[in-house]
Amino acid sequence: MSRFYYYLILINMVANIIASVPAILLHFHNDGAVISMLLSIAAGVLLVTIYTKFFLKYPGKTLPELLEKTTSKWFYQPFVFLLAVLWFVAGLITLITFTFLLIRYLSPEMPIILICLTLILAVIFGCILKTDRVMYTVEMIMIITSPLILFIFFKAYSSKSLNWDFVREAALYINQVPNWHSFSACFFLFLGAANLFIFNRFFTDKQKFGFRQIMFIVLISIGTLFTTYFIPIGFNGFEGINDLVYPWISTTDSIRMEYFIIERVLFMFLLFYLGIAFLSILIHWHAAMEFLKFTFKLEKIKYKDKNIGIFIPLPIFVAISLYFVTVLTEYQLFRYSSYFYDVLVFIFPGMILLFTYINRRMKNEESSPEN
């Protein structure tokens, strides 16, 4: 598979390491979180495999294009609009989470609206770029930030402050009944493959997706979930871990780099992770914009031969973001994020039925004598 495919998978997993996912998992640390993670890996990898194999059959095609070809207008347009809402909300959760993080740890004196607006301005015009340019932007930022973030993870694993007895104690809770909220939060990490709904237009060449590629995703997901859940416990202890609002922030604040110009890893971690958050929002909102283009035919809205339609959703994105960042608290954000993840567990596996329907219609179309 192209390296760009793995970027879509990785960013969705890695961006949530310090977002609401670890807080949800650690809240249920003695109530089925461990077994929920294992089940989510099996379900998530299966979903990624099915999604990827489906889109490999239609190189260069987006899901809205396939739906337009195989379904009726009454179904196609509301459904694609629903997808736009889901992708926008996914990006919004990351945006609000990092706004709260920045105001809590880096700029406590700055107005929250100004911080949020700064993040939005950094992302919003990237949403209307062509998909290939979005992918090249993703690669450039990944090349810059990934080595440093991996180095910070290496420092965490090799730190003397990491108590493996706490990790072993947490692992002993594997025999608990799975927890639904934990499962859905972990399952969300695997939904990066769903970005193929739009980004499949970038993959016009024939790709290979077999056992080695699947095992690679399995290893990445195990490493990501282990790091997300067990490392904060190893640093902070098993008891009272669910009281931490941002467990990974407390973890990185326990790490020092004695011979570096900046000793506290926390500041570096936040700044470099901001790059990953930027990519996550960019991918989600770019997909949301593309879904809206298909739904409302925005590219046909013109004024004096200039296309103004693609700019119409941008003020709406900004207004909704600023509203929610001012009315939500951190506790409400985590609770509503958990509800959002719960809903996705039903929606995305259900789309496999839709894929089956599209496959049948496409086969019928190909075998039609008129074709």
Side-chain angles (χ1 to χ4, degrees):
M1 288 295 290
S2 165
R3 63 187 186 279
F4 292 96
Y5 165 80
Y6 295 107
Y7 294 156
L8 297 176
I9 304 284
L10 270 171
I11 288 169
N12 204 63
M13 287 186 179
V14 178
N16 286 283
I17 283 184
I18 63 172
S20 51
V21 173
I24 294 169
L25 283 177
L26 293 170
H27 182 72
F28 299 103
H29 64 283
N30 56 2
D31 193 20
V34 178
I35 189 68
S36 299
M37 286 194 292
L38 293 176
L39 291 175
S40 74
I41 290 172
V45 172
L46 181 63
L47 187 90
V48 170
T49 304
I50 293 172
Y51 273 38
T52 306
K53 286 187 176 293
F54 171 77
F55 281 102
L56 284 178
K57 295 176 186 171
Y58 309 105
K61 293 285 185 187
T62 64
L63 182 65
E65 288 169 340
L66 293 171
L67 287 172
E68 194 171 27
K69 210 170 184 178
T70 57
T71 61
S72 302
K73 196 174 180 181
W74 65 265
F75 172 81
Y76 155 73
Q77 287 194 328
F79 184 76
V80 176
F81 179 72
L82 171 67
L83 295 180
V85 173
L86 292 178
W87 258 257
F88 171 74
V89 173
L92 183 64
I93 289 172
T94 308
L95 174 74
I96 298 177
T97 302
F98 275 83
T99 302
F100 286 162
L101 275 170
L102 291 177
I103 202 165
R104 181 185 277 257
Y105 294 101
L106 287 184
S107 305
E109 303 297 328
M110 190 179 286
I112 191 167
I113 287 183
L114 190 57
I115 292 178
C116 184
L117 203 56
T118 306
L119 291 176
I120 291 173
L121 289 175
V123 174
I124 198 75
F125 292 106
C127 301
I128 57 176
L129 291 175
K130 290 184 177 179
T131 301
D132 57 346
R133 292 183 183 178
V134 172
M135 291 301 283
Y136 296 137
T137 304
V138 167
E139 180 171 59
M140 186 174 65
I141 297 179
M142 284 288 286
I143 290 172
I144 295 170
T145 58
S146 296
L148 294 161
I149 290 175
L150 287 173
F151 176 70
I152 291 171
F153 287 154
F154 169 75
K155 290 289 293 181
Y157 274 97
S158 60
S159 173
K160 292 177 182 176
S161 302
L162 178 62
N163 189 333
W164 286 97
D165 288 335
F166 292 143
V167 176
R168 293 188 192 96
E169 183 184 357
L172 291 177
Y173 283 78
I174 194 172
N175 57 353
Q176 301 290 311
V177 177
N179 178 273
W180 178 252
H181 297 299
S182 300
F183 175 81
S184 59
C186 296
F187 188 73
F188 178 72
L189 300 185
F190 294 89
L191 296 185
N195 289 313
L196 288 172
F197 288 7
I198 290 296
F199 285 87
N200 193 52
R201 68 162 55 126
F202 183 80
F203 304 103
T204 52
D205 298 330
K206 191 172 182 180
Q207 306 285 325
K208 184 181 177 184
F209 188 76
F211 180 75
R212 281 197 305 176
Q213 288 76 17
I214 293 171
M215 289 310 298
F216 181 63
I217 292 172
V218 170
L219 292 175
I220 291 173
S221 58
I222 291 173
T224 304
L225 282 173
F226 187 91
T227 304
T228 302
Y229 181 72
F230 287 105
I231 297 304
I233 290 176
F235 273 88
N236 300 287
F238 192 63
E239 297 299 328
I241 186 70
N242 58 331
D243 294 332
L244 298 177
V245 181
Y246 299 106
W248 251 98
I249 299 300
S250 304
T251 301
T252 52
D253 205 22
S254 305
I255 305 171
R256 294 286 186 274
M257 290 200 291
E258 298 172 4
Y259 304 109
F260 197 66
I261 191 168
I262 301 174
E263 185 179 338
R264 293 183 71 183
V265 170
L266 169 64
F267 297 121
M268 290 178 55
F269 186 73
L270 275 176
L271 289 174
F272 291 124
Y273 229 89
L274 193 59
I276 299 295
F278 167 80
L279 295 181
S280 177
I281 303 167
L282 176 63
I283 289 172
H284 283 121
W285 282 11
H286 174 74
M289 277 292 300
E290 293 299 312
F291 287 134
L292 290 175
K293 281 184 190 176
F294 280 107
T295 307
F296 298 108
K297 307 297 181 189
L298 294 177
E299 289 176 326
K300 292 183 179 178
I301 302 174
K302 294 186 178 180
Y303 178 73
K304 293 183 178 179
D305 292 332
K306 291 184 178 178
N307 183 2
I308 60 169
I310 58 172
F311 297 103
I312 292 175
L314 300 184
I316 301 171
F317 281 24
V318 175
I320 295 174
S321 303
L322 293 180
Y323 172 75
F324 280 106
V325 83
T326 51
V327 299
L328 285 179
T329 64
E330 288 170 324
Y331 172 75
Q332 288 172 329
L333 175 65
F334 290 148
R335 191 176 55 174
Y336 295 147
S337 299
S338 180
Y339 296 156
F340 179 67
Y341 299 148
D342 291 346
V343 171
L344 298 185
V345 172
F346 293 101
I347 293 177
F348 283 91
M351 286 190 190
I352 294 171
L353 296 175
L354 183 62
F355 293 168
T356 307
Y357 176 78
I358 291 173
N359 281 334
R360 288 183 58 184
R361 290 297 303 267
M362 292 298 285
K363 279 182 184 175
N364 291 338
E365 190 167 304
E366 289 169 1
S367 61
S368 171
E370 295 179 1
N371 296 324

